[in-house]
Amino acid sequence: MSQMNIATVDLNLLKVFEALHEESSASRAALRLGVTQSAVSAALRRLREVYGDQLFVRTGRGLAPTLKANQLKPVVSDALNKCRQSLAMVDPTANHYEGRSVTVGLSDDFEIAYGRRLIEEIARRAPKLRLIFRQTHSQIVARALMERSIDLAITAGGFAERLLSRQVLGEGGYACLVDPESLAPGQQQIDLEEFVTREHLLVSSGGFIGITDEGLAALGRSRRVCASTTHFAALPHLLKGSDAVATIPTHAAQAIAAMSGLTLLPCPLALPRYPIELGWRTSTQIDPVVLTVREAIGASFRAE
């Protein structure tokens, strides 16, 4: 790569870079920017010259970013967001959200339970601001925030890193989901004996041991996990037509039961409750757009 001077670089190329990274397609990036696909292709050639890297390579599913492109993305987006913030300073009362997006990391139980409510709250507070929901969990959330692949995160902890801030949104517990056809007429709960007799479906980011197993072990009992999945959204398909039970966070169990026709039951096992927390990089506290989304998330949880 030759020595570059910012005075010789067309900064509009950065908008093309951001669109290509987020859309993974030259044609979709062109639609987003309101230009022709050939203009995007020409801009990509110039970007490759500027950064001395392919940046995006063609795959069967579109354009995939290279390692260099992934390293550049948070820097480029931060720079563009600062420019968008500067425009908002001209008229602080106007809604300058078009073109902005905020990435919220969360597991799909929170997405299922609170996603629609958050979208509606954002539409009211910040018209035209776009949300990106990205999967994460407490084991990896701090790294994702520090690497700037997400702006905010909702998890059950994981924000111990000193450069991160957090806010407690509430407290969670557990409930059970079953196929109603597996219950006796009028049955509204299962006792511990029936609980351990049934097969179980586990939602876990890895392994076959969960908090339910720890609670049963304390009582000298155990259960049989017939399958494990990483997605709460798969449960209606996996539970229907079976005698299996899934023990999951109450907020997700309530939302899934309401949408799927599965039956929500109290958990017959006393399990510890856990904090639900919102985390963010402390450095983003001055960004009014991130602050707006933080406030919308808090309102979504208070509305429960």
Side-chain angles (χ1 to χ4, degrees), residues 17-29:
F17 173 90
E18 181 183 59
L20 283 169
H21 197 285
E22 293 181 355
E23 304 299 339
S24 302
S25 163
S27 59
R28 291 196 294 269

Side-chain angles (χ1 to χ4, degrees), residues 162-231:
R162 65 181 181 85
L163 297 178
L164 300 180
S165 297
R166 60 186 170 183
Q167 170 190 345
V168 176
L169 296 171
E171 190 178 63
Y174 296 90
C176 295
L177 286 177
V178 299
D179 185 339
E181 295 298 319
S182 71
L183 297 171
Q187 185 178 358
Q188 296 182 340
Q189 61 183 21
I190 55 177
D191 60 21
L192 187 60
E193 289 303 319
E194 183 177 353
F195 183 76
V196 298
T197 300
R198 287 178 178 249
E199 290 188 328
H200 289 252
L201 285 168
L202 173 67
V203 182
S204 172
S205 57
F208 282 93
I209 302 297
I211 192 168
T212 303
D213 300 283
E214 295 173 359
L216 287 171
L219 300 176
R221 309 298 293 269
S222 64
R223 63 175 180 168
R224 179 178 180 272
V225 175
C226 61
S228 175
T229 177
T230 57
H231 300 289

